[in-house]
């Protein structure tokens, strides 16, 4: 049987060994967690939606020249990606105050920020992913100053692109989290976007209704998470697998 080697298991994804050296299979689970795993639920269909949305966003980013680990989609829950050395930093870009910045700095949620703000968090669950500065990142050798420059430039390009993409479908991109990795090609190394971009890792607000279309539905017990993620996919024009109408076979054309 198909016994693939599990390389890494995270809270919402599993990485398996890929078919060729230097590749991995990224599998999206239905597990939904918040607050350092203290809140955990299986939400049927979430993984399929995140796989589809992330695939779409990574493909569009590749198209505009943002290097990513994404190679191609394999099935409803899995994608083939390049193996990279993950930089242990969560990069958060914020356009509007919400979540931790609203709390930490006492800014009312929904207040537009004077400009886009980039924050870094050290990936360490046992420490609750503490916020760190560039000084910490370079002093502890998590990334070099040049790598931080590349990461910030990429993060801002991703923010500009995603802001426009979502604005076009009536959604405000409040903030998001991305991760980067080092891709080694021969004796060359470059920084590429890794992990995922999905409603699990973004705050997405419906511009017309202010409804939350992201993981805050789960964090704040609002319900309707799958419906919200489906709405994001539907607006992006990529809701196929989950659309029962499209599953019922070919549409017959009357003569
Ligand atoms: P925060 O307001 O809780 O700091 O979150 C900022 C953004 O980063 C938000 O879109 C959610 C996302 N995020 C993650 O994807 N993973 C995390 O572990 C955290 C804390 C935030
Ligand atoms: N703290 C993260 C979040 O709320 C995820 C987690 O801790 O599992 O997005």
């Amino acid at each position: 049987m198909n016994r693939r080697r599990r390389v890494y298991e995270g809270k919402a994804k599993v990485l398996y060994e890929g078919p060729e050296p230097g590749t991995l299979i990224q599998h999206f689970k239905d597990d939904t967690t918040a607050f350092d795993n203290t809140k955990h639920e299986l939400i049927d269909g979430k993984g399929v939606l995140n796989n589809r949305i992330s695939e779409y966003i990574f493909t569009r980013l590749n198209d505009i020249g943002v290097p990513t680990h994404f190679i191609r989609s394999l099935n409803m829950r899995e994608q083939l990606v390049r193996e990279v050395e993950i930089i242990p930093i969560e990069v958060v870009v914020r356009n509007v105050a919400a979540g931790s910045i609203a709390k930490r700095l006492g800014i009312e949620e929904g207040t537009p920020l004077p400009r886009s703000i980039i924050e870094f968090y050290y990936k360490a669950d046992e420490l609750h992913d503490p916020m760190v500065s560039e000084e910490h990142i370079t002093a502890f050798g998590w990334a070099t100053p040049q790598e931080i420059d590349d990461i910030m430039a990429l993060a801002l390009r991703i923010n500009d692109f995603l802001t426009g993409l979502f604005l076009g479908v009536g959604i405000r991109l409040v903030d998001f989290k991305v991760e980067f990795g080092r891709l080694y090609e021969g004796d060359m190394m470059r920084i590429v976007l890794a992990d995922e971009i999905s409603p699990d890792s973004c705050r997405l607000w419906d511009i017309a209704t202010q409804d939350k279309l992201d993981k805050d539905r789960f964090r704040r017990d609002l319900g309707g998470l799958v419906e919200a993620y489906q709405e994001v996919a539907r607006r992006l024009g990529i809701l196929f697998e989950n659309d029962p109408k499209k599953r019922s076979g070919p549409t017959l054309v009357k003569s």
Side-chain angles (χ1 to χ4, degrees):
M1 277 302 287
N2 186 13
R3 275 279 140 238
R4 296 177 298 187
R5 194 169 72 86
R6 192 178 295 228
V7 176
Y8 175 82
E9 176 145 14
K11 291 186 287 249
K13 295 189 294 296
V14 187
L15 293 174
Y16 295 100
E17 202 167 60
E20 288 130 40
T23 65
L24 294 173
I25 292 167
Q26 180 165 261
H27 176 109
F28 289 74
K29 300 189 286 186
D30 283 337
D31 295 67
T32 312
T33 67
F35 316 122
D36 294 322
N37 234 352
T38 52
K39 191 170 161 75
H40 179 204
E41 245 175 67
L42 279 181
I43 302 188
D44 194 26
K46 190 207 65 151
V48 172
L49 282 156
N50 279 353
N51 181 39
R52 184 76 187 106
I53 294 168
S54 196
E55 172 209 340
Y56 176 75
I57 290 174
F58 274 60
T59 304
R60 297 288 308 267
L61 288 169
N62 269 329
D63 290 346
I64 61 157
V66 172
T68 81
H69 73 160
F70 180 80
I71 303 174
R72 65 188 157 83
S73 170
L74 295 173
N75 57 54
M76 279 168 67
R77 284 191 185 271
E78 295 177 329
Q79 44 186 247
L80 186 65
V81 301
R82 281 181 214 292
E83 184 169 24
V84 300
E85 183 181 283
I86 289 285
I87 292 170
I89 299 294
E90 298 198 340
V91 180
V92 168
V93 183
R94 302 181 186 274
N95 301 304
V96 176
S100 69
I101 198 177
K103 206 168 166 188
R104 189 180 332 113
L105 302 183
I107 309 172
E108 193 186 344
E109 279 214 328
T111 310
L113 296 169
R115 61 174 173 79
S116 301
I117 294 174
I118 301 181
E119 295 172 345
F120 301 111
Y121 295 84
Y122 178 48
K123 270 168 71 75
D125 280 344
E126 66 284 9
L127 302 173
H128 316 294
D129 296 351
M131 184 150 87
V132 292
S133 71
E134 291 183 50
E135 276 287 286
H136 299 104
I137 296 172
T138 53
F140 293 114
W142 298 322
T144 66
Q146 176 62 53
E147 287 173 335
I148 297 178
D149 284 353
D150 292 351
I151 285 170
M152 291 179 74
L154 285 170
L156 290 178
R157 281 180 70 197
I158 294 165
N159 185 46
D160 285 348
F161 178 78
L162 289 185
T163 296
L165 177 75
F166 283 119
L167 198 57
V169 297
I171 293 173
R172 175 169 300 129
L173 177 64
V174 170
D175 56 32
F176 63 95
K177 184 269 294 182
V178 276
E179 295 182 26
F180 295 90
R182 299 184 184 94
L183 178 62
Y184 293 92
E185 292 168 311
D187 50 9
M188 294 288 289
M189 185 279 287
R190 59 192 174 117
I191 300 291
V192 304
L193 176 66
D195 193 50
E196 68 177 289
I197 298 180
S198 72
D200 266 12
S201 57
C202 301
R203 281 199 178 89
L204 303 169
W205 293 355
D206 187 336
I207 291 173
T209 64
Q210 307 300 319
D211 277 354
K212 297 182 197 309
L213 303 175
D214 56 62
K215 204 166 93 173
D216 272 347
R217 299 212 72 85
F218 171 73
R219 294 189 194 95
R220 302 181 188 192
D221 297 317
L222 301 172
L225 179 133
V226 162
E227 292 74 13
Y229 287 26
Q230 277 173 345
E231 180 61 20
V232 172
R234 186 175 303 117
R235 293 204 198 172
L236 293 173
I238 55 172
L239 189 69
F240 302 123
E241 297 95 323
N242 277 19
D243 186 343
K245 289 195 288 292
K246 304 250 175 179
R247 271 206 199 141
S248 53
T251 307
L252 295 179
V253 179
K254 290 197 194 107
S255 53

